[in-house]
Structures are given as C-alpha cells and as structure tokens.
Amino acid sequence: MSDTSLDIRGPVHGTADVKRVALGSTAGAVIESYDFIGFGTAAALYLNTAFFPSDDPMAGTLASFATLGVGFVFRPLGGIVGGHLGDKVGRKPVLVASLLLMGLATFAIGLLPTYAQVGALAPTLLVIVRIIQGMAYGAEWGGAILMTYEHTAWDEKGKYTGWVQAGFPVGLLIANLVFLVSVNLPGDWAWRVPFLFSIVLVVVGMIIRSKVPESPVFDEVKESGEVVKSPIVEVIRTDWRNILRGIGLRIAETAGYAVAITYMMSYITTHKPPLGTKGDTILALCVAAGLGIFATTWWARRTDTKGRKPQYVAVTIFNLLWAIPMFLLVNTGNRWLIVIVFIISYCVSQNALAGSQGTWFPELFNANVRSSGASLAYQISAMISGITPFATTLLYINYGWMGPALLFAGYSVLGLAAALITAETWTPEIRAKVAEVMRTTPRDDQHTTSLADVEGKAGGRR
C-alpha cells in the first residue's frame, strides 16, 4: 500500500453485531478495570497497614506501591500470551479467559489473611495474586479493542472503540463508589468488600461475553491462510519501530495517570498535615471518573473527524504545562480545587490520550499480527506506570512535590516526542477515500473487504 494507506478490513459499514460486540467488550473492560484499578485505590489507602505494618507510614506506602507495581510488571507477559493467542486462535477466546482469570484473582484478594493474622505469608500471597491479575489484565485490552475495531464501520472506529476505552472510567467509578461506601465499614471489611463484590460483576460479564461473535477480520485472515506461525516474533521483526513508538505514546498516558491520580491520592492523605481525608479523596476521584466516561467517548469520537495524531500532540503539550499547577492547586488543601485537579488530570490529561489509542494502536499494525503488536506496545509501557507510584514517593521524600511534578512533565515530553515521530493513520486523504467507499457501498453489504482491494491494489504494507 502507499504511505497514505492502512490495513482497513471488514464490512465497510461494519457488522450487524457491532453494538453487541462493543457492549460486550466494554462490559469486560469495566469489570477488569474495576478489579485492576481498584487495587490501586486499596494500595493507596488501606493495604499499606493491612499487609505491610511499619512504624513508618511512608515505608508501608512504599511497600504497598511496590506490590501495585508487580501487577504492571507482569502485564507485558499477559500481553504476549494474549496477543499471540489472539492472532492464532481468535480474539474471543482471549476475552473470555482473561475475564475469568481476573475475576477469580480479585475475589481471592478479598479472602486473603492480613499480616496480623499470618505474618510474612500475607504479603507473599498478595504478590502472587497480583501477578495473576497483571497477566489477565495484560491479555484483556488487545482482544477487547480489536474485537470492537474490526466489527465497526470504517468511519466510526473511534466512536465504538471509545465505548471500550470508556469502560475504564466506568470501572474506576464503580470501584471507588464501592470504596466510598465501604470506607465506613469496621476493620478490614472496608477494603475486603470491594474485592469480594467483583464476583458479581464477573458473572454478568461472562454471560455477556459468551454471546459475542468472533472478529470478521480474524476469520478472514484465518480463511485466507494469513495466520503466521509466531505472531510475536513476526511483529517484533517487521514492526519493532511502531512497538517502540506505541510504548512512548502509552507511557505519557498510563504513567502520567500513576502520578496525577494514583500517587496524588496518597500524597493528599499522607501529607503532613493531610490535605484532605480519604473520603474526600475518593469522592474527588469518583466525580472525575463519572465525567471521564463521557469525556473518553467524546475524545475518541473526535478522532474520527480530526485524526489520531493531532489530538495526541495537543494534549501532551497541555500535560507538560499542567505538571506544576496541579500540585500547586492541591497544596492549597481546598476541597473544591482538589476536585478540579482530579477532573482535569483525568478527563483531559488521561482520557484524551486513551481515546486516541483505541484506533491509533490497531492501525499501526497489519491484521495478522495486530493483536500481538498492539498488545505489546500497550502493555510493555505498563511496567513504567507500575513502578511510578513507588518512584514518585521516593522523589517526594528527596525533593518534595516538585519531584513528582517534574516526573509527570518528563512523561509528557516522552509522549509528545513519540507522537511527533509516529505516522498519522487517519489523514484527510484516507478519510476522503473511506468516505467515497462508504458512499458507493450498500449498507446491507456484509462482505468482508479491504481498502486495498477497493482501490484495486494487490495489498502489502503502507
């Protein structure tokens, strides 16, 4: 293909199942986000004393954040396994398996004994379960996004992948609402109940996902004999540059979130004197998450008309300028200013970048290695975000709030650089070609085709 083309395949106007697929993928994303991100809230507020007792609160916080990071470190392994299976046996089996594994691991956290009950065995068990969580979450994203992307009409990829990306603020909101309610429960029940509650969501999610059909693009790849023997090896060999670019793009979003949201919650409650209560902090995050549901879908849909790259460039520049002001506002201790900081940090700094990723990442890779390539880029960056709250705490100990602020700025610079050197996959020229194809193709045509076929080309890479 030419340099202004990309590997678009599937029914031009999408499949008849697109909404059901998008809802199924979104439901799973909600549940897995509830499970995985809820651990971050618990780590910031509860697990430091339940599993890592210490006379020094900061030492307990460091240990708790280190356990949080373990899950992120193992996400790439889940991404490798999930991506490989997604390209070899299909997107759907990976979706179902990852959801079940995540749900059982999260439920198990709610049953774990504390340090006071079994000593050093408690944090050991917590780390093991966190590893399982990380692998399950690593396998989840690629399958959910690709199932939706490949069922969707060519000109609405941002709209429907935005549903899936919005599943993360929904999961975040539900998790923190449960924590907000449980904060008044006695003793360990304050953090156990949110984890135990996840089993209800898992049952609902499994019912929904079991009815979702396989991706038509994967079916086409399979029928045409394009399934490669080792997708991971193939995508690393042929597309390692886009993997590295994707890692840089993703770090700005996920590691930035780890500073602006995950660490900020701990910073507010452990600051001497505290800048806010646990309840106020969770409430601020709930407000941001609630607005983030709509923000993510808006930002994602915007990429259908404005492109993927311009949005990323603009928001990473904004984040660079936001790094110091967000700490200055939080340092006032004013409840409403803290809420505003959480809203901006989440609804703009994070949601706008996540809204672009649902389309931009799949479009960087060919269909037969797309699951592997997108998953690798998306999940390897998670290792950086996983160690960020730990590193940010160390920076604060040595340099005060300016250390975390500069780290956030550094991540923004990295994301901006990655955006500038990554090709735009949804240029005005491509949008014009797609619009013409959609205008001339009957809406009831469910034939699987590609942009290259429509243009009369023989295929190949852009």
Side-chain angles (χ1 to χ4, degrees), residues 89-395:
V89 302
R91 324 302 196 201
K92 178 178 177 177
V94 176
L95 286 182
V96 175
S98 63
L99 178 60
L100 181 61
L101 190 62
M102 171 65 84
L104 293 177
T106 303
F107 182 74
I109 292 176
L111 301 175
L112 290 180
T114 63
Y115 188 93
Q117 294 171 321
V118 296
L121 179 61
T124 301
L125 292 174
L126 183 64
V127 169
I128 292 173
V129 177
R130 184 61 178 167
I131 289 172
I132 297 173
Q133 269 196 324
M135 292 185 63
Y137 198 69
E140 154 69 18
W141 182 83
I145 281 292
L146 295 189
M147 279 284 284
T148 303
Y149 180 92
E150 293 171 349
H151 272 276
T152 300
W154 291 7
D155 64 344
E156 293 185 321
K157 302 293 188 184
K159 173 183 176 181
Y160 285 104
T161 59
W163 289 18
V164 182
Q165 293 295 72
F168 299 102
V170 174
L172 178 65
L173 175 61
I174 295 174
N176 284 283
L177 283 175
V178 175
F179 273 106
L180 188 62
V181 172
S182 69
V183 72
N184 296 312
L185 294 176
D188 291 344
W189 290 111
W191 61 265
R192 288 190 186 278
V193 167
F195 289 114
L196 295 174
F197 176 72
S198 70
I199 198 67
V200 177
L201 300 178
V202 170
V203 172
V204 174
M206 289 295 292
I207 293 173
I208 295 174
R209 278 201 169 173
S210 64
K211 299 178 180 180
V212 170
E214 181 58 85
S215 160
V217 175
F218 175 77
D219 286 339
E220 181 203 5
V221 168
K222 185 177 180 180
E223 291 170 6
S224 63
E226 296 181 47
V227 175
V228 296
K229 182 177 180 180
S230 181
I232 292 291
V233 174
E234 179 68 14
V235 76
I236 291 175
R237 184 181 67 83
T238 61
D239 237 347
W240 59 270
R241 291 178 181 85
N242 275 333
I243 293 175
L244 291 179
R245 290 167 185 148
I247 292 170
L249 293 171
R250 188 59 180 129
I251 284 175
E253 176 256 314
T254 186
Y257 173 92
V259 176
I261 301 296
T262 304
Y263 170 75
M264 190 66 81
M265 293 180 69
S266 175
Y267 173 73
I268 291 170
T269 56
T270 61
H271 188 277
K272 297 186 181 301
L275 298 170
T277 66
K278 290 181 180 180
D280 287 344
T281 305
I282 295 176
L283 179 61
L285 184 53
C286 286
V287 172
L291 294 174
I293 298 168
F294 303 99
T296 302
T297 54
W298 184 83
W299 287 112
R301 190 163 188 170
R302 186 176 181 274
T303 66
D304 285 331
T305 56
K306 304 297 183 182
R308 326 308 191 196
K309 181 173 180 173
Q311 183 163 295
Y312 228 92
V313 171
V315 176
T316 49
I317 291 174
F318 170 81
N319 288 353
L320 177 60
L321 300 175
W322 175 239
I324 291 177
M326 71 176 175
F327 275 93
L328 290 175
L329 291 173
V330 165
N331 287 342
T332 65
N334 183 288
R335 175 185 299 178
W336 299 112
L337 289 180
I338 290 174
V339 171
I340 290 172
V341 167
F342 272 79
I343 290 173
I344 295 175
S345 295
Y346 193 59
C347 296
V348 179
S349 297
Q350 195 273 344
N351 292 167
L353 301 184
S356 301
Q357 293 167 7
T359 49
W360 205 6
F361 279 37
E363 289 170 355
L364 293 175
F365 304 95
N366 274 344
N368 60 347
V369 292
R370 180 173 287 158
S371 180
S372 298
S375 293
L376 275 177
Y378 197 84
Q379 301 302 345
I380 289 177
S381 60
M383 291 190 293
I384 304 299
S385 62
I387 64 173
T388 291
F390 182 87
T392 309
T393 303
L394 290 179
L395 286 172

Side-chain angles (χ1 to χ4, degrees), residues 401-416:
W401 65 264
M402 184 61 73
L406 292 178
L407 180 62
F408 182 84
Y411 288 148
S412 302
V413 170
L414 177 61
L416 175 60

